[in-house]
């Protein structure tokens, strides 16, 4: 019987794949996740380039749901989880039920995170409570440990009282 992890290269690939699968995203609710993807460029080898739509609910405001679309890199690197996705995304949030703003709602909080590379890059959605205008602001940004990106998208949900 042969050993499965007989070389350092195979062992390293197994560790990277485990990390990619284990840290692919952090979301607020069980029904949050990928809605659908649309191919934008066909690739001969590996998966196609695509734009994927994800749905998520605000963990602190049950009456708000958001959709974020994000470009996903295909090819061999994308299929193996080693490619870096571009910082191209859009967001739309809306009221889907009654909105009760908690008394101690923080002015700013992370409500969504999707990994866009193996090495420390992620798209995040930050909720900002604009109490002067009774509006929830959802800002999507690309963050990296060393260098972020100026690309961003914003959506607002007015809170009617």
């Amino acid at each position: 019987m042969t050993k499965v992890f007989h070389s350092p290269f195979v062992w390293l690939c197994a560790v990277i794949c485990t990390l990619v699968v284990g840290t692919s995203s952090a979301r607020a609710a069980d029904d949050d996740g990928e809605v659908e993807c649309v191919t934008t460029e066909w690739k001969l080898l590996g998966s196609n380039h695509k734009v994927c739509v994800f749905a998520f609910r605000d963990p602190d405001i049950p009456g708000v749901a958001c959709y974020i679309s994000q470009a996903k890199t295909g090819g061999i690197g994308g299929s193996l989880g080693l490619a870096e996705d571009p910082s191209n995304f859009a967001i739309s949030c809306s009221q889907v039920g009654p909105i009760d703003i908690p008394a101690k709602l923080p002015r700013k909080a992370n409500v969504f995170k999707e990994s866009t590379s193996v090495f420390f890059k992620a798209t995040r959605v930050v909720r900002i409570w604009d109490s002067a205008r009774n509006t929830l602001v959802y800002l999507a940004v690309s963050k990296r440990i060393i260098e972020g990106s100026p690309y961003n998208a914003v959506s607002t949900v007015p809170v009617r009282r």
Side-chain angles (χ1 to χ4, degrees):
M1 192 158 124
T2 61
K3 293 182 181 178
V4 174
F5 297 107
H6 60 280
S7 75
F9 177 74
V10 173
W11 182 84
L12 179 61
C13 286
V15 168
I16 289 173
C17 288
T18 302
L19 288 173
V20 168
V21 171
T23 62
S24 64
S25 64
R27 296 190 182 89
D30 292 337
D31 63 345
D32 294 347
E34 188 175 287
V35 175
E36 189 61 61
C37 294
V38 175
T39 296
T40 58
E41 183 180 336
W42 183 82
K43 302 301 282 178
L44 181 62
L45 298 174
S47 61
N48 296 330
H49 292 316
K50 56 191 170 187
V51 172
C52 295
V53 176
F54 298 89
F56 67 94
R57 291 185 180 268
D58 187 317
D60 300 318
I61 315 291
V64 175
C66 297
Y67 291 88
I68 186 165
S69 64
Q70 184 163 328
K72 297 288 185 180
T73 302
I76 295 172
S79 296
L80 296 174
L82 301 175
E84 183 173 307
D85 294 331
S87 298
N88 295 340
F89 43 80
I91 187 168
S92 178
C93 300
S94 60
Q95 182 173 351
V96 294
I99 295 179
D100 278 330
I101 302 298
K104 298 199 180 221
L105 183 72
R107 178 158 165 72
K108 183 169 61 170
N110 291 320
V111 294
F112 176 86
K113 176 184 162 193
E114 177 73 21
S115 179
T116 53
S117 88
V118 175
F119 302 107
F120 315 113
K121 181 179 175 189
T123 297
R124 296 178 192 258
V125 176
V126 178
R127 181 198 58 240
I128 301 166
W129 171 232
D130 182 357
S131 59
R133 292 165 195 83
N134 280 338
T135 301
L136 295 162
V137 179
Y138 293 86
L139 177 66
V141 295
S142 180
K143 291 184 120 183
R144 198 184 272 183
I145 288 189
I146 303 297
E147 175 186 342
S149 169
Y151 295 111
N152 63 79
V154 68
S155 182
T156 62
V157 178
V159 178
R160 307 285 182 224
R161 298 189 189 243

